Amino acid sequence: MKLDFPLVINEEPTPDQFVDYPGKMAQVAYNVAYWQWLRCRLSEAQNWKCCWCGCETTDLRKVWNSSTVEHVTPKSIGGTDDPENLAMACNKCNNDRGNLDAEEFMKRFENATNF
């Protein structure tokens, strides 16, 4: 079964919206919809600007400036999925950062002329 969601979800999804999906697909579909919704809310809150480089982002997927959910403190070093630890970053910054802490990643901007 292919999950096909719109790029922008305006209403927070609820698990009961996916009860017709078979087996574990209901939970998978809910998780995909929830993160899509959250990405849109974070993007709107930041005026569709990357939290790191400030570039204008897009809701299109798989381009350098796609909006992505960024963990301010990476999960690999103890960060959580709590909303206080999430921001929206462009795809390039999110991938370039990896699991660097915020301070270390910001040093790259200070030292780079063409980031």
Side-chain angles (χ1 to χ4, degrees), residues 46-98:
Q46 293 175 212
N47 201 25
W48 292 86
K49 303 281 186 198
C50 174
C51 67
W52 298 114
C53 70
C55 76
E56 188 171 326
T57 61
T58 180
D59 58 356
L60 298 175
R61 310 309 305 148
K62 300 182 182 179
V63 294
W64 74 272
N65 64 333
S66 297
S67 61
T68 62
V69 175
E70 169 79 316
H71 290 82
V72 178
T73 300
K75 290 178 79 172
S76 63
I77 59 173
T80 67
D81 287 335
D82 292 335
E84 310 80 54
N85 188 46
L86 302 176
M88 191 280 303
C90 70
N91 190 44
K92 182 180 182 338
C93 284
N94 201 340
N95 287 330
D96 287 350
R97 180 178 177 212

